[in-house]
Structure formats: structure tokens, C-alpha cells
Amino acid sequence: MTASDRDAIERVAAAVAAARSITALTGAGVSSASGVPTFRGEDGLWKKVRVETLATREAFENDPRLVWEWYDWRRSLIRNAQPNAAHHVLAAWTRTRGATLITQNVDGLHERAGAERLIRLHGSIWHVRCWNRCHAGRADWLDDRVPMGALPPRCPHCGGMVRPSVVWFGEPLDQSLLDRARAAAACDVFLTVGTSSVVYPAAGLIPDAKAAGALVVEINPDATGTSHMADLTLRMSAADALTQINEHLTSSKATC
Ligand code: OAD
């Protein structure tokens, strides 16, 4: 670690210690140390398959079984993954510092690490809902079977197909979640962790935070679409950076 990395870690720790409100926006990079592939990295999911064939309404209409096979594979991979240090530190901050977590991840690893105050912008891979939005199956429900069984799974209410309760490309986000996320972006310290910041509206929370006067901290080994907005940048893995920031916080209680 360079002297400037050490300096940045100390400055982030001091800012977190002094902050009245902390918000973190997370993306796939947070889960990569748990063995869950990112979307746009070298081994990213979108390097192997085209988004349009798997993560759109049209894809599901064309071939629901193929789409479900992909989700079934991802669910089995995630089921065997464990939250890593980045999930644990962020979860601890939600409990002890009142931090809000906004995640684009659908894997449920923040929840498994015990995160509170979590806004899941892109849904959950563990929830499903009726494709037909039948009267009885209007809301989504938990179905965490791995493997799912016969594909596509069927709605227990109307017998139609069910779909993963995630946001696909071209679909709007839940407006009430987006409103909550935008409100949380107006904070003292806003961390953007493990996201390429190219997918909107989530990436728009970073300029929102900046405009609201937050100190914006980017944690990512690589540059992103919003790196130029960061006040402090940590070019390292989420697990390393958050562990080190947390060690500073716990070892220098006087400044907390
Ligand atoms: P991406 O795959 O676009 O970006 C992952 C980011 O994590 C990259 O910027 C990497 O440099 C970084 N990264 C990789 N390993 C890391 C590590 N150990 N620590 C920290 N950062 C690391 O994933 P997202 O930005 O989450 O949307 O993608 C946003 C959305 O696009 C996803 O929610 C998904 C996807 O298509 C939907 O499915 C709607």
C-alpha cells in the first residue's frame, strides 16, 4: 500500500467517524471476493452472454426456460458463496453508525451479513413474482429452492409462469425505493463501492450525493464512470479498503 493510500484510508476513517449520516452504494464488485462474478469485469457475465438474451422482458417472453436456467445457475453459485469482509464491515456500520446501504446487487449477501437499513434497488434473486401479475400473486414472494425444479416455475395461485423478482434492462425501478435512495444520498459521507457506475438511475445517486454536499468516496480497483466526482479514491478491493478503514475507526476511538 502506498503512502497516499494510507493517507486516503485515514481521511476516509476520520470522515466516517465524524459523519452524522453515511450512505454506501454497492455493486457487484463487493461480492466478487465471495466468488460471485461481476457483470462488466474481464470475467464478467456480460462478457460471456448478451444482456438482451437473458435480462430483458423480451428474453423471458422468447425463452423463459433459458432465462430461468441462467438464474438457477446463478442462484446455486450464490447459495454456496459467503459474505466477505466488505459485506461484514458495511453491515456493522448499518447497525452501529446508522449507515444506509443502497445496493444494486440481487444476491442477498448484504442481508446474510446482517445489514439493516438496506435498499435493494434491483430486487432479489431469491424472490419471484407472477409473470401475469394474477390477482392473488400480485406481490412477490420468497422462493429460495436450489435448484428450482421444473422450469419455468409456476405460480401457485394461477398456474402461469413466475419470473425472478429482479429489475431487467428497460424496466423501471420501484419509485418508492428510488425516492428513499435519493433521500439517503443527501448525507455527510457517500461511499460508492464496487460499482462501474454506468447503470442508471443507480449511478445518478453519485452526482445527487455530490450536489447535496456529501464527501464522495470511491472504492474500486479500477476507474469508473463517476470517478471524476470522487473527493477521495481508494484503488483497492472493497474488502481490503473497508477492513482498513474499520480498523482505523476501532483503533482510534478518540476521534469516533
Ligand atoms: P459491474 O460488473 O458493472 O461493475 C463491477 C465493478 O466492481 C467494476 O467497476 C470493478 O472494477 C469493480 N470490482 C471488481 N472487483 C472488485 C473488488 N474486489 N472490490 C471492489 N470493486 C471491485 O457491476 P455493477 O456496477 O454492480 O443490473 O452493475 C450494475 C448493474 O448492471 C447490475 O446491478 C446489473 C448489471 O447489469 C441489472 O441486472 C439490472
Side-chain angles (χ1 to χ4, degrees):
M1 190 167 61
T2 64
S4 76
D5 285 341
R6 252 192 305 276
D7 178 56
I9 296 266
E10 278 169 26
R11 289 170 68 189
V12 177
V16 167
R20 284 161 306 168
S21 51
I22 304 162
T23 297
L25 170 69
T26 66
V30 165
S31 295
S32 74
S34 298
V36 180
T38 63
F39 294 95
R40 297 176 182 79
E42 234 162 64
D43 291 324
L45 294 170
W46 299 149
K47 291 274 152 77
K48 299 191 174 87
V49 289
R50 290 176 48 196
V51 170
E52 306 81 49
T53 58
L54 291 169
T56 60
R57 288 184 67 84
E58 294 71 29
F60 192 74
E61 267 160 4
N62 287 343
D63 197 341
R65 191 185 158 83
L66 175 75
V67 171
W68 261 115
E69 280 171 352
W70 189 65
Y71 278 93
D72 214 19
W73 167 73
R74 285 178 63 201
R75 284 161 58 110
S76 69
L77 199 145
I78 295 165
R79 170 59 57 80
N80 293 320
Q82 299 302 324
N84 64 59
H87 298 107
H88 287 300
V89 170
L90 291 172
W93 290 0
T94 65
R95 296 190 302 266
T96 61
R97 296 178 183 276
T100 301
L101 273 190
I102 306 167
T103 191
Q104 299 163 85
N105 298 346
V106 298
D107 56 29
L109 292 178
H110 284 306
E111 295 91 316
R112 279 168 57 193
E116 295 170 2
R117 303 164 68 91
L118 175 67
I119 302 170
R120 278 195 313 236
L121 277 185
H122 291 168
S124 165
I125 202 165
W126 301 111
H127 284 75
V128 299
R129 62 178 191 259
C130 178
W131 173 249
N132 301 324
R133 288 286 187 174
C134 75
H135 180 67
R138 220 161 255 284
D140 69 3
W141 65 90
L142 178 75
D143 184 339
D144 59 0
R145 287 174 296 150
V146 174
M148 269 302 234
L151 300 178
R154 294 282 155 189
C155 174
H157 307 292
C158 71
M161 294 189 293
V162 302
R163 59 164 283 178
S165 197
V166 297
V167 176
W168 282 330
F169 282 88
E171 292 187 316
L173 270 58
D174 180 311
Q175 190 58 46
S176 65
L177 292 180
L178 192 54
D179 290 345
R180 278 175 55 205
R182 285 182 174 143
C187 60
D188 290 342
V189 176
F190 186 92
L191 301 112
T192 165
V193 191
T195 174
S196 57
S197 304
V198 293
V199 173
Y200 286 77
L205 295 168
I206 297 155
D208 286 353
K210 186 93 183 151
L215 180 88
V216 174
V217 178
E218 178 172 276
I219 300 177
N220 197 311
D222 296 320
T224 75
T226 56
S227 292
H228 60 286
M229 292 181 197
D231 298 296
L232 289 169
T233 303
L234 295 173
R235 288 271 166 263
M236 55 180 87
S237 78
D240 282 352
L242 289 166
T243 300
Q244 288 177 42
I245 296 165
N246 206 42
E247 278 169 6
H248 267 277
L249 286 170
T250 46
S251 67
S252 53
K253 282 248 161 43
T255 58
C256 295

